[in-house]
Amino acid sequence: MPRVVGVRFRSVGKSYYYLSGDEDLFVGKKVIVDTAKGMEIGIVSVPTIEIPDEKLHEPVRPLRRVATSEDLENDAENRKREKEAFAICRQKIIENELEMKLIEAEYTFDRRKLLFYFTAEGRVDFRQLVKDLASVFRTRIELRQIGVRDETRVLGGIGGCGRELCCKTYLFDFAPVSIKMAKEQNLSLNPAKISGVCGRLMCCLTNEQETYEYLNKKMPSRGDKAITKKGEEGTVSSVNVLRQKVGVIFEIGDSREIREYNVDDLTFEKRQRRRKGKDEEDERNPAGERRRDGDAAAGGKEQERGRERRDRSAIAQKLLEAGRADAEAKETGLVLRHSSGSTEQRRGSKRRPARGERGERGDRRDRPDRPDRQDRQDRPDRQNRMEHPDRQDRPDRPDRPDRPDRPDRSERQDRPERSDRQDRQDRPERSDRPD
């Protein structure tokens, strides 16, 4: 079986396994190993142990060596340079006016790569920042965006309990936390009381979650019916999960009495929870049991389906009427405008037919409201109207704001009625009539 050792690169974090070979290493020893970032110095967190090959899910790399005094001096020098790089990067962020918060700067052991960790609300375009940093440090630059929980782990702090943060001291990884855990533990749902320094739900809610889940399996809910070993019936008023105690209210005549029992000394019946929309008063039959009005519920659903069918039929009828009205409009010239389901009719204006709907000129001669116009073909003034000599050099008409030679039209109201103009039929046609 291979001999492996667990190595951690931070004071708190996940341990990674490496082949130790024949060396027996103990917790706290510093070693040099290869990582995805490059060569790193780490601390042994798990002493040398033998593990079967079946439990090694990933290929394990061997240790390079145990850290020497020169390696420790080099690591101390990297810590100093990280502080200088942190100050320079913060100044470059201000110059580029980037909305990001710098958290930490980290050199690899061989100084081939310099990593900067930051937080931001959204995506940040830091391409120009990387160019500026590369010109200063002359090495490979990486910027990594982290979350608020990782930020708190790096910076550290004191929690609401007065102790150092769990993520800074002993938590290796972040477990998912939900508001259901706070409800299960009967805690206040005030965000200020169940949130940590990072603004998220406290990680310590997961510490006792399994215990509360086990204890709550035996505990009733408030309002459930409780029956003692003597046959007395009462209602659950309070529950103490850790002590496994239940408070029960008994009604004795006109008075009430509260007693406390162990959960194992009682039997419980779940309260029938009332659905939304039911009446305030329970309907009971002569036997005293709740009447299950299944027929009424089924009838209500059927009525609702009937209303939906009627609504769909009404909408379909309106659409059908609108289609018929459009068809009639094409024949009679009636204009229909549909807006928000209503139809407005405007009479007196004819819709101009589309190009595909227009008929040929020949089929317009049978219109009853227009006389036959064949007698107009021999009109001399209708021939070559655009070739009239007066139309070629017609000057632009000047503005006519005032015409002194034309009296006000209001004075023409006493104009006598015009006589019958049938005598104008023998009037010769004017050849110079403008079009």
Side-chain angles (χ1 to χ4, degrees), residues 412 414-424 427:
R412 302 177 63 183
D414 54 349
R415 182 175 179 178
E417 295 294 332
R418 302 180 69 174
S419 58
D420 190 8
R421 305 184 68 176
Q422 296 181 358
D423 54 346
R424 298 183 64 183
R427 183 177 178 178

Side-chain angles (χ1 to χ4, degrees), residues 266-278:
L266 299 172
T267 56
F268 305 98
E269 294 182 3
K270 291 292 183 181
R271 179 183 57 178
Q272 295 180 353
R273 302 186 183 277
R274 190 176 305 168
R275 296 181 180 178
K276 294 182 180 181
K278 286 194 174 183

